[in-house]
Amino acid sequence: MNTQYFEESFEAVVIGAGHAGCEAALALARKGHKTAILSVNLENIAFMACNPSIGGTAKGHLVREIDALGGEMGINADKTMTQIKMLNRGKGSAVQSLRAQSDKFRYHALMKKTLENTPNLSVIQCEAVEIIVENGRVSGVKNAYGGIFRCSTVVVATGVYLNGKVIAGEWERAAGPSGFSPANQLTASLISLGFEIMRFKTGTPARVDRRSIDFSQLERQDGETNVYPFSFMTETIPEKQEPCYITYTNTQTHKIILDNLDRSPLYNGAITSTGPRYCPSIETKVVRFSDKDRHQIFLEPEGDDTNEIYVQGMSTSMPHDIQIAMYRSIKGLENCRFTRYAYAIEYDCINSLDLKASLEFKKIPGIFTAGQINGTSGYEEAAAQGLIAGINAALYLENRSPFILSRDEAYIGVLIDDLVTKGTNEPYRMMTSRAEYRLFLRQDNADSRLTEKGREIGLVSDERYAKFLERTKKIGELTDEINRPMFPKECREFVLSYGGNELHSGLSVADMIKRNIPLSDIMEKFDLYKEYPFDILERVETDIKYEGYLKKNYEQIEKARKLEEKKLPEDIDYYAIKGLRAEAQEKLDRIRPLNLGQAGRISGVNPADISVLMVYLKR
């Protein structure tokens, strides 16, 4: 056993330097608190252990919200992108999402540089093994060498490193992702503090050598330049972008998989933990969707200075010899050479019902958790939680009320509310369908929703705030111009050409937009608004086009807020309230909701129970 010794005192210690840990540490340090971020290896700072990309459906929303609040992920993604595009362009604005390919090595290097050059922040390589609690409060963190870092608050953001076990066929090893060392001792400390531990699984596909791929057989996918970036601070999108490619599995691929299911850890009992429903392995897809004769595969470059290609859609834990046969059965990959084989990884996480809406542990003040330790999957979900955990750890040090985003304010609010109210029995992934008010929570208005809040917290710089005010001013000016009526003679024939009704009075451009005439067509016809950037034009057009729906959305939000405003006392004894069903008493006591709105979202609590609580509160 190592001799214990004192290393240094900090106000806050962040355990883990993945996407959650980086945001948490930066938030704490930028708010002026002396902070340490600990990592088992400094080479895994913000490491993209899986796909080399940021964003995607609903995830792009999270990144823009992180940015609007003053976080770092969007800025880092913009600076290291190799390709960007808007997903779901053919669908409504609410579900359109940015997704960018990143140079994973530059992404890591730039985030590491950002951490190292942030005042009040120390970057330290070591394994945290114990959270020290004295008199019911956090007092320090112990590392594997026996060193003690004194602190008053801790953010645990350990990703998939806790008791990590990598599996590929019959081979398995205690390890973190990509060959990094696991963290094998901290789980025992979390259990001793009262956390309920769960076991989840994730996985990653193989990487193959670019030079061994026959791209002539594949569908090329180029990026876009007519999109806005992730960060509201970024001015331009790179003109030169790296292409991705599409190929497909086939009946031969599927036969190889089905003939070898007895060697798949997912089907022979070697893996018992729960994996991500919305990012299944290729063997799961072949078994679950047996009617499909092919599945889409994306080939994505890992970076500008490497020949490694990420084979998205082919995540597997099959043995290496089966992986070779599977991959080489695919068009364009017949002669592929592997640089890294696919694998599954099992890891410890906590039951997120143990957390408050601030991401603070209910049983011990000052302990916050964020990222995959909370049962989520994905870089973006992790970063969003890390930012909120870091903010609330800072507010805890300042003896201020926690910062909690509601479901009608941000996807971040939906994400965290789902975790702490409903919990999760599988790796949680953010999706637009999880948000009741998704038309209100669009990517394009993230700054309008959240930048003022970030300013109040202290994370929005003067430069960012000035840009926000200028953008807000332009949006207001353009909205006024678009609502100004035009003379009928100027627009009659144009409007009627789109099938509109006869005009008897002047129409504004806003009226034309409501008649489903694209703003771009109106601008071209009447030579208007050339001075406005396209992102502001899109934003205003969307607000006008969906004005009626947004009004209904807002009415629903106001109605829901009335329940959110009815606070429930922290010390309420649910077992003493007559009329509550036993299941409701148990669930309410376990989760301790903040208000009636949250109480109503708890599985097992029905409207009759809410009525009982309303009567109780009136008394």
Side-chain angles (χ1 to χ4, degrees):
M1 182 175 178
N2 292 334
T3 301
Q4 293 189 18
Y5 61 96
F6 170 75
E7 287 216 17
E8 192 174 351
S9 288
F10 296 93
E11 290 181 88
V13 170
V14 177
I15 302 173
H19 304 281
C22 288
E23 294 291 350
L26 288 170
L28 278 155
R30 286 167 174 171
K31 280 184 58 61
H33 298 290
K34 186 181 178 184
T35 304
I37 182 168
L38 314 181
S39 177
V40 292
N41 190 324
L42 298 190
E43 298 312 307
N44 66 15
I45 290 174
F47 188 70
M48 292 179 161
C50 200
N51 55 314
S53 68
I54 295 293
T57 304
K59 294 169 177 281
H61 293 70
L62 289 173
V63 180
R64 287 214 114 199
E65 290 179 352
I66 291 165
D67 184 75
L69 287 166
E72 194 66 24
M73 176 172 266
I75 292 172
N76 213 61
D78 287 344
K79 289 181 178 178
T80 59
M81 74 169 63
T82 59
Q83 185 197 101
I84 189 168
K85 57 176 31 179
M86 186 73 75
L87 304 184
N88 298 327
R89 272 203 183 274
K91 299 181 181 179
S93 300
V95 297
Q96 292 178 6
S97 300
L98 286 171
R99 186 178 190 271
Q101 296 298 136
S102 290
D103 184 317
K104 66 186 293 181
F105 305 105
R106 284 198 290 127
Y107 190 96
H108 149 75
L110 182 58
M111 189 66 84
K112 182 171 182 282
K113 182 179 179 181
T114 300
L115 295 178
E116 290 173 338
N117 290 282
T118 296
N120 306 311
L121 183 56
S122 297
V123 182
I124 303 170
Q125 178 169 300
C126 66
E127 179 187 345
V129 299
E130 182 184 353
I131 298 172
I132 302 169
V133 174
E134 297 175 338
N135 300 318
R137 290 185 174 271
V138 173
S139 65
V141 173
K142 178 182 174 182
N143 65 34
Y145 306 109
I148 304 293
F149 300 104
R150 287 288 175 189
C151 62
S152 298
T153 185
V154 173
V155 178
V156 185
T158 47
V160 299
Y161 284 81
L162 290 185
N163 288 321
K165 183 170 74 171
V166 171
I167 304 165
E170 298 82 10
W171 178 88
E172 60 180 53
R173 176 177 295 174
S178 298
F180 289 115
S181 299
N184 291 331
Q185 299 183 60
L186 187 61
T187 295
S189 175
L190 296 176
I191 292 172
S192 71
L193 296 173
F195 281 98
E196 179 186 340
I197 300 299
M198 304 165 69
R199 191 82 171 157
F200 280 176
K201 165 219 162 262
T202 188
T204 190
R207 278 67 162 174
V208 298
D209 192 321
R210 176 195 297 270
R211 296 166 298 181
S212 65
I213 300 171
D214 183 359
F215 290 103
S216 66
Q217 298 190 65
L218 309 181
E219 301 173 25
R220 178 170 169 143
Q221 293 283 301
D222 290 306
E224 302 175 8
T225 55
N226 61 330
V227 293
Y228 46 75
F230 283 116
S231 177
F232 291 93
M233 300 297 288
T234 303
E235 297 291 344
T236 58
I237 292 292
E239 290 290 330
K240 183 182 178 183
Q241 299 183 18
E242 288 295 314
C244 295
Y245 293 86
I246 292 177
T247 185
Y248 299 87
T249 62
N250 50 58
T251 54
Q252 183 187 354
T253 315
H254 299 181
K255 185 177 187 305
I256 293 168
I257 292 169
L258 294 172
D259 286 349
N260 291 280
L261 281 181
D262 60 322
R263 296 187 65 193
S264 168
L266 285 175
Y267 289 91
N268 63 20
I271 291 177
T272 57
S273 52
T274 307
R277 178 188 302 265
Y278 301 102
C279 189
S281 66
I282 186 62
E283 52 264 45
T284 299
K285 286 191 280 189
V286 169
V287 171
R288 187 180 297 168
F289 306 107
S290 57
D291 58 316
K292 290 183 176 290
D293 57 9
R294 70 176 193 172
H295 293 281
Q296 195 172 58
I297 305 298
F298 289 88
L299 301 181
E300 303 172 344
E302 294 245 287
D304 293 330
D305 298 320
T306 178
N307 284 325
E308 289 190 277
I309 299 290
Y310 177 89
V311 188
Q312 180 177 298
M314 286 291 285
S315 175
T316 183
S317 57
M318 281 287 202
H320 289 185
D321 58 317
I322 305 303
Q323 290 187 36
I324 293 171
M326 286 162 46
Y327 279 65
R328 289 182 177 172
S329 70
I330 296 171
K331 188 176 182 179
L333 301 181
E334 293 90 347
N335 300 301
C336 71
R337 294 191 302 273
F338 285 66
T339 58
R340 308 181 200 223
Y341 284 91
Y343 61 84
I345 182 168
E346 293 184 308
Y347 57 95
D348 292 341
C349 57
I350 69 162
N351 186 338
S352 57
L353 294 179
D354 285 336
L355 304 176
K356 298 178 181 178
S358 61
L359 296 181
E360 184 180 23
F361 184 39
K362 290 176 179 177
K363 296 179 180 178
I364 299 173
I367 299 178
F368 297 82
T369 61
Q372 285 182 274
I373 190 173
N374 288 346
T376 58
S377 68
Y379 310 146
E380 302 81 5
E381 290 90 339
Q385 293 170 73
L387 178 62
I388 300 303
I391 289 171
N392 283 321
L395 295 173
Y396 171 83
L397 291 170
E398 298 161 11
N399 293 314
R400 294 168 60 190
S401 298
F403 176 66
I404 297 171
L405 289 167
S406 63
R407 299 180 72 90
D408 58 72
E409 290 176 316
Y411 270 87
I412 297 175
V414 175
L415 163 65
I416 294 176
D417 183 67
D418 279 352
L419 290 175
V420 303
T421 304
K422 303 173 184 177
T424 183
N425 56 11
E426 61 185 38
Y428 177 103
R429 178 177 179 176
M430 191 72 250
M431 296 180 292
T432 54
S433 58
R434 296 189 189 274
E436 305 94 310
Y437 313 113
R438 63 185 184 181
L439 189 57
F440 192 70
L441 306 180
R442 304 189 313 273
Q443 284 183 137
D444 61 349
N445 65 11
D447 60 334
S448 297
R449 292 185 280 115
L450 298 174
T451 299
E452 289 284 6
K453 295 179 184 295
R455 182 71 169 177
E456 291 171 12
I457 291 165
L459 290 182
V460 169
S461 65
D462 290 343
E463 181 187 4
R464 177 183 287 275
Y465 194 58
K467 283 198 171 191
F468 165 71
L469 292 177
E470 179 62 25
R471 177 176 158 85
T472 302
K473 179 183 176 184
K474 286 183 179 178
I475 289 171
E477 290 174 349
L478 179 59
T479 301
D480 289 342
E481 288 186 42
I482 280 179
N483 277 288
R484 192 172 296 126
M486 298 174 67
F487 292 109
K489 65 180 181 180
E490 294 179 303
C491 55
R492 179 180 178 277
E493 290 185 5
F494 175 73
V495 171
L496 292 178
S497 71
Y498 282 85
N501 296 326
E502 182 63 64
L503 302 184
H504 300 289
S505 60
L507 280 185
S508 66
V509 172
D511 293 326
M512 297 183 205
I513 291 171
K514 290 174 185 177
R515 291 180 176 226
N516 292 318
I517 302 175
L519 178 58
S520 57
D521 291 3
I522 301 169
M523 290 170 58
E524 184 178 354
K525 172 67 176 177
F526 299 107
D527 194 28
L528 298 171
Y529 317 135
K530 297 294 176 65
E531 69 274 22
Y532 289 98
F534 80 92
D535 60 323
I536 288 179
L537 289 163
E538 283 188 8
R539 162 69 190 280
V540 173
E541 180 180 20
T542 301
D543 281 341
I544 291 170
K545 186 175 182 179
Y546 295 105
E547 185 178 11
Y549 295 104
L550 288 167
K551 184 178 179 181
K552 289 180 181 178
N553 229 195
Y554 191 73
E555 290 170 356
Q556 293 169 344
I557 289 170
E558 286 299 302
K559 187 176 179 180
R561 278 180 182 168
K562 291 179 180 179
L563 286 176
E564 302 289 327
E565 290 168 359
K566 296 185 185 297
K567 306 298 181 185
L568 291 166
E570 289 187 13
D571 59 351
I572 188 171
D573 182 358
Y574 291 104
Y575 290 102
I577 300 177
K578 294 181 179 180
L580 280 180
R581 295 172 307 108
E583 182 186 7
Q585 290 175 327
E586 180 184 338
K587 296 287 182 66
L588 289 164
D589 185 67
R590 170 76 168 87
I591 295 169
R592 313 298 301 178
L594 298 174
N595 52 60
L596 283 181
Q598 185 185 1
R601 294 190 293 273
I602 297 172
S603 175
V605 175
N606 63 31
D609 299 313
I610 299 301
S611 296
V612 171
L613 288 175
M614 291 180 75
V615 172
Y616 171 83
L617 289 177
K618 287 178 181 177
R619 289 177 181 172

